[in-house]
Amino acid sequence: MLTASVGCQQQLATTTTPEKQSPIELHIAAAASLTDVMQELAAVYAQEHPEVTITFNFGSSGALQQAIENGGQTDLFFSAAAKQMNALEKSGNLLAGTRKDLLENSLVLIVPQDSRLELNAFADLSRPELKHIAIGDPSSVPVGQYTEEVLTNLGISDDLTAKAVYGYDVRQVLAWVATDEADCGIVYATDAASTPQVKVVAAAPAGTHQPIIYPAAVLRDTKHPEEATAFLAFAASEKARAIFTKYGFICK
């Protein structure tokens, strides 16, 4: 049975604190597709800033946006799409002057590693032998919104209505394909590269969706504007860019 999971919280805590400096806890909301890379970034940052503890809330950008708007404690937001960041900026939730476009990604079609389905293109998704196609929920998940754009532009959106199973975030879509609970799925290229349990069979055709841009910003209501701004600056540094590149992201 296919079940959707919610965003999870994970904490990377430092083990030493300078004697005369109070510890700082930063709460970072980040798109699920950033889970692995952000954890490594935080570990590297902690080596240079042992006074800072980072707590992550990973999930779909839409759910994270809603949590921020509802007053959830967040110092920084790393989104997988401009749409959610635009909404927060319009409602006055961002600290002025801190928004940055950090990364770019791409959209791919994946199948389980041992799949024998002969899928070679997104257009093949309308084939009758496919029973379950995993995609992100377009109502709140950026990867689902990009997917919907592609399917609409290819003219096959209606063909998939009865076959689509909607994941709460991109990592749920990935998990369904990796465990053979779905015949195939549409995820970011970086997520596909995170596990050997899936293989990429096609990339979304050029021009079928908006560029996949990851913006980040400090939240207006942060209790630690200086420390939050410092971490965002680190995320845009050459050291961080090398880590993002290692995970397959394109740095802006």
Side-chain angles (χ1 to χ4, degrees):
M1 179 177 180
L2 296 171
T3 57
S5 63
V6 298
C8 60
Q9 289 194 340
Q10 300 184 39
Q11 184 167 329
L12 296 178
T14 59
T15 57
T16 60
T17 302
E19 195 171 84
K20 294 184 179 181
Q21 191 166 7
S22 300
I24 299 295
E25 183 176 14
L26 290 180
H27 292 262
I28 299 179
S33 53
L34 293 169
T35 300
D36 302 324
V37 68
M38 290 302 293
Q39 289 176 333
E40 181 167 341
L41 241 63
V44 172
Y45 192 74
Q47 294 174 6
E48 301 175 4
H49 301 274
E51 75 283 2
V52 177
T53 295
I54 296 176
T55 298
F56 285 113
N57 182 18
F58 295 110
S60 72
S61 297
L64 296 174
Q65 173 203 336
Q66 186 174 32
I68 291 168
E69 291 174 333
N70 290 338
Q73 185 178 5
T74 308
D75 297 294
L76 297 105
F77 179 38
F78 289 76
S79 177
K83 177 181 179 180
Q84 289 73 25
M85 195 67 79
N86 291 344
L88 290 174
E89 187 166 32
K90 185 177 181 179
S91 60
N93 278 284
L94 304 186
L95 186 63
T98 63
R99 178 172 174 172
K100 300 177 184 292
D101 286 345
L102 287 179
L103 308 167
E104 190 169 351
N105 214 332
S106 57
L107 204 64
V108 296
L109 176 61
I110 59 171
V111 296
Q113 184 58 243
D114 59 357
S115 174
R116 295 185 179 181
L117 290 170
E118 294 184 5
L119 297 180
N120 300 301
F122 275 63
D124 293 337
L125 290 172
S126 59
R127 288 167 51 173
E129 63 265 34
L130 296 178
K131 305 301 180 185
H132 297 108
I133 301 171
I135 64 175
D137 186 347
S139 68
S140 62
V141 184
V143 74
Q145 292 158 3
Y146 294 123
T147 297
E148 190 172 53
E149 280 188 72
V150 174
L151 301 180
T152 299
N153 285 325
L154 292 177
I156 59 173
S157 182
D158 291 342
D159 298 339
L160 272 61
T161 301
K163 304 176 182 182
V165 289
Y166 299 102
Y168 182 82
D169 59 34
V170 69
R171 286 302 171 99
Q172 184 64 65
V173 175
L174 180 69
W176 281 341
V177 179
T179 56
D180 287 306
E181 293 185 79
D183 298 315
C184 58
I186 301 172
V187 300
Y188 299 126
T190 53
D191 291 288
S194 71
T195 174
Q197 293 179 284
V198 303
K199 59 185 177 183
V200 174
V201 294
T208 56
H209 64 80
Q210 295 295 315
I212 301 173
I213 305 299
Y214 286 63
V218 176
L219 276 298
R220 181 194 62 192
D221 292 336
T222 176
K223 296 178 181 178
H224 309 290
E226 184 177 341
E227 291 81 6
T229 301
F231 184 84
L232 183 54
F234 168 73
S237 70
E238 287 302 316
K239 182 178 289 188
R241 287 168 65 90
I243 297 172
F244 281 123
T245 300
K246 182 177 74 172
Y247 282 86
F249 291 94
I250 300 169
C251 296
K252 300 292 288 180

